Each structure stands twice: as C-alpha cells, then as structure tokens.
Amino acid sequence: MNILLTGASGFIGRNIATALTAAGHRVTPAARANGIDFRRMHSASDWQAHLAGIDAVINCVGIIGENGGQRFAPLHTLAPSALFQACAQAGIRRVLQISALGADETAFSAYHLSKRAADDCLRSLDLDWFVLRPSLIYGRGGKSARLFMGLAALPRIPVIGDGQQAIQPVHIGDVVATVMRCLTSPQVRQTLDIVGPETVTFADWLQRMREAQGRPRARLVRIPASLAMALARVGRYINPILQPDNLRMLETGYKADFRPLARFLGRMPHTAETRLFFSDGTDARSAS
Ligand SMILES: NC(=O)c1ccc[n+]([C@@H]2O[C@H](COP(=O)([O-])OP(=O)(O)OC[C@H]3O[C@@H](n4cnc5c(N)ncnc54)[C@H](OP(=O)(O)O)[C@@H]3O)[C@@H](O)[C@H]2O)c1
C-alpha cells in the first residue's frame, strides 16, 4: 500500500514508518519539511492534491502543550478533520487516527477535547476508520519517556503529592503492532485504547525506570499538588509536557482495560522489562 503518514518525523510516526517500510509498504510522509503544515491545512481541498495514489492514511501529528503558533485546535482538530473529509471524498477508505487515552466522554483538558473532536469527525464518516488511544508510551526516543528517565535518575525522585497516580504505560512496539494490524484487519470502525497490561503508580514507574538504568531505588521528594501546579505554569516554558493541564490529566490517571487490545493483537501487550525501556518499535521482538 502507499500510505500517507502525517507526523512521520515524530516518535510514533518514525517507528510506524520503519515498520511500514519493513513490511513492504510505501510511505508518503506529510510533514512541515515537505510543506504540509497543520496550522494551515483546514479545508478538505487543501488535502486533495496530497491524496493522489494514496491507499491509506495514518495521522500521527500532535503536541502535548501549546506554544507560539502551535495550538491544539488547528493541529488536533481542524487539519485532521479536513484530512479525514478529504479521504472520504477521494475514496480512501482506511484511515487511522492516533488520538490519546482519555480523549473520551470524561475529557476535560484542551488537549483531550481537541483530540476527541477529530476522533468524532472520523467516526462520523463512512470510512474503515480506527481511532487509537495510546496511554503513556515508553521506549527509546520518546520525549516523555526521556523526561521521565531523567527525573528517575535524580538523587531523589520528585513526585506530585503522594506519587500514587495510576498509569498504564504501553511500549512503542505495541503501538506499532496495533497500527500494522489495523491496516489489514477486517474488523474496522474501532476505537481502541492502547495500554499495557499493568497498572502502576507514577512513583513506582519512575523507580522502575531508575532500576532499568542500573541505579538503586531512591527516596521520593513529594511536591504538594498546589506547588507542582504553580511550578508547571513556569515549567511549560522549559518543557511543553510540564503544563498545569498535563498534571491534572496525570492526577486523573492513564488507565483502561487492556483486554480489547490483547484480543485485537492476538497476544498480550508487553509487560515492562528492562530491555524495553531502551528499545523502540523497530526491535523485531517488541513489535511482533
Ligand atoms: N508519546 C506518547 O506518549 C503519546 C501518548 C498518547 C498519545 N500521543 C499522541 O500521539 C501523537 C504523536 O506523538 P509523538 O510522541 O510522536 O509526538 P512527537 O514526537 O512530538 O511528534 C509530533 C509530530 O507532529 C508533527 N507536527 C507538529 N506540529 C506540526 C504542524 N504544525 N504541522 C505538521 N506536523 C506537525 C511533528 O513534525 P515536525 O518535525 O514538523 O515538528 C512530528 O512529526 C500526538 O498527537 C500525541 O499527543 C503520544
């Protein structure tokens, strides 16, 4: 298949591109580097010329926080919705959208709401669509994974409040494997939460990342939620992940039932083990 892949330069997109190429597909990247900027592509007609000869579309563009001209509404809602409508007009039936866990009826953050609006648009169209909602993704090369690895390596590990926020991280190899399966699955029109099999606390997750780096467990520094929120208002200028809304989303937790994903993949998603922290979706065993 010739697959239009948006966000091909990002963590998820890069890994998907590698797997697609290895499987014999042709990848057509739609990126700012080749003139496709989601800040501008807001009408179906903007996309038509880019869809000639395309068999399937995968959208991996996104930001975790707004800054400068990068805003949630154009990037997460307007451009993807226009792309999906263009697919419907061009007869490109198979369309995959990388959304995010929590972009559902419980969504409250601008991040999740903007993702959900595009998901809803895709689900309203007569297409063979898949809306994939990954949890926190770990593996080599991810921005959030890199940040958390860095926090985990500090002499004392900073956590918010008691650090007991529940998360269900998923390896990038499982995200890639899900995408690959979506391309051929006859069970279309699915919304799937992409989560790992274990629910862990945020504090335990950072301790595991620490152990994976060969360091002994460390004591925690508990940052009161109100102070963490105040710090995040400044932290957003250092790292876009450090946004007040992202702390609120963490407090809400990142978890879901993993069994629908296991059924779809025909196997369990991976349990976090040391080697996976340092491997990506190109690791044959992790992506299989
Ligand atoms: N990583 C996770 O843990 C995780 C978990 C759940 C959901 N997600 C979602 O998955 C999506 C991809 O995540 P990621 O980790 O791969 O992010 P990433 O590494 O930051 O990649 C983001 C991609 O979006 C592209 N992009 C940004 N602004 C753009 C614009 N104005 N026009 C066109 N392309 C633009 C970037 O291209 P440039 O090279 O041009 O910057 C890059 O290819 C995001 O929507 C994210 O919210 C990620």
Side-chain angles (χ1 to χ4, degrees):
M1 283 198 259
N2 183 4
I3 298 167
L4 185 87
L5 179 65
T6 72
S9 59
F11 173 50
I12 300 175
R14 279 195 312 271
N15 279 283
I16 292 173
T18 304
L20 290 173
T21 307
H25 296 293
R26 181 171 157 202
V27 176
T28 302
R32 281 190 281 187
N34 52 4
I36 300 181
D37 190 329
F38 274 40
R39 289 173 293 189
R40 289 194 289 272
M41 311 280 291
H42 299 165
S43 130
S45 58
D46 294 330
W47 286 100
Q48 291 300 357
H50 301 284
L51 295 179
I54 296 294
D55 302 302
V57 167
I58 306 173
N59 176 40
C60 301
V61 166
I63 50 173
I64 191 64
E66 296 187 319
N67 59 39
Q70 294 279 84
R71 301 278 150 191
F72 289 133
L75 269 69
H76 287 176
T77 309
L78 299 177
S81 300
L83 171 59
F84 303 152
Q85 279 153 359
C87 288
Q89 290 168 12
I92 297 165
R93 290 208 58 82
R94 200 152 294 234
V95 180
L96 280 56
Q97 150 82 338
I98 304 293
S99 180
L101 192 66
D104 54 25
E105 60 288 345
T106 66
F108 60 85
S109 66
Y111 170 82
H112 275 144
L113 290 168
S114 60
K115 284 275 188 191
R116 192 183 73 187
D119 301 351
D120 285 343
C121 170
L122 181 56
R123 284 186 285 243
S124 74
L125 297 169
D126 177 22
L127 291 172
D128 295 340
W129 53 259
F130 291 86
V131 173
L132 304 179
R133 299 193 298 216
S135 176
L136 207 56
I137 304 172
Y138 68 97
R140 187 175 64 226
K143 286 178 192 163
S144 60
R146 198 177 305 132
L147 173 71
F148 294 144
M149 274 288 188
L151 291 179
L154 294 172
R156 289 186 175 209
I157 299 179
V159 294
I160 300 153
D162 59 6
Q164 295 303 297
Q165 301 86 0
I167 56 172
Q168 216 173 330
V170 66
H171 187 253
I172 181 66
D174 287 327
V175 180
V176 171
T178 308
V179 164
M180 297 305 285
R181 187 140 184 78
C182 289
L183 288 176
T184 53
S185 173
Q187 306 155 266
V188 296
R189 301 174 76 84
Q190 291 206 53
T191 298
L192 270 174
D193 291 331
I194 317 289
V195 292
E198 303 167 282
T199 304
V200 293
T201 65
F202 185 63
D204 279 345
W205 185 243
L206 292 186
Q207 294 282 15
R208 275 205 207 180
M209 287 189 145
R210 188 175 174 83
E211 283 164 14
Q213 297 175 71
R215 298 171 195 273
R217 286 177 77 83
R219 294 181 65 176
L220 304 177
V221 183
R222 295 183 168 81
I223 302 171
S226 54
L227 176 60
M229 208 57 87
L231 292 173
R233 288 194 189 94
V234 183
R236 64 198 297 180
Y237 298 106
I238 300 165
N239 187 317
I241 296 172
L242 303 172
Q243 302 266 345
D245 253 4
N246 291 344
L247 297 191
R248 288 188 200 102
M249 289 192 281
L250 180 63
E251 285 293 336
T252 311
Y254 283 95
K255 53 190 192 321
D257 185 356
F258 66 85
R259 288 171 299 184
L261 176 66
R263 277 196 293 275
F264 185 71
L265 288 176
R267 63 161 174 80
M268 287 287 283
H270 290 284
T271 301
E273 49 180 282
T274 300
R275 73 175 176 93
L276 291 180
F277 286 109
F278 306 104
S279 76
D280 60 20
T282 62
D283 177 332
R285 283 185 305 152
S286 62
S288 65

